[in-house]
Amino acid sequence: MKDLTNPFWIKFKGILFLVVGLFAAVLLVLEARSFRVGVLLAISVWSFCRFYYFAFYVIEHYVDPGYHFSGLWSFFCYLVRKAKK
């Protein structure tokens, strides 16, 4: 499979992720019908977004500028290698 390079399809893919995520969140909240579930879901999504930012921006720009990650598996392998040293 070749890399996605067309700006239109990249933006479309991002919007599709947003729509799917919102749809899943709405279904979860409707299933539970609980304010607490909605708040916990929002905190969970926010935390995962912050982790993603940490893994790809903070590490590359502030901790190890010479290393570039290609995905979360690459980040995990990086952490394991650093822990062994």
Side-chain angles (χ1 to χ4, degrees), residues 28-29 32-44:
L28 280 171
V29 172
R33 296 201 184 270
S34 165
F35 179 73
R36 182 171 31 161
V37 169
V39 170
L40 290 173
L41 179 62
I43 291 170
S44 176

Side-chain angles (χ1 to χ4, degrees), residues 4-80:
L4 184 60
T5 57
N6 184 312
F8 171 79
W9 290 113
I10 292 171
K11 293 173 188 173
F12 180 77
K13 183 179 176 181
I15 290 169
L16 202 57
F17 281 135
L18 177 65
V19 169
V20 169
L22 288 172
F23 185 68
V26 167
L27 288 178
L28 280 171
V29 172
L30 289 175
E31 178 75 23
R33 296 201 184 270
S34 165
F35 179 73
R36 182 171 31 161
V37 169
V39 170
L40 290 173
L41 179 62
I43 291 170
S44 176
V45 169
W46 178 82
S47 296
F48 281 121
C49 289
R50 295 304 297 174
F51 172 75
Y52 194 83
Y53 171 78
F54 170 79
F56 293 104
Y57 187 83
V58 173
I59 297 294
E60 285 185 9
H61 288 87
Y62 299 107
V63 176
D64 192 353
Y67 194 80
H68 299 287
F69 303 102
S70 60
L72 289 176
W73 181 251
S74 173
F75 177 67
F76 174 75
C77 293
Y78 170 81
L79 290 177
V80 170

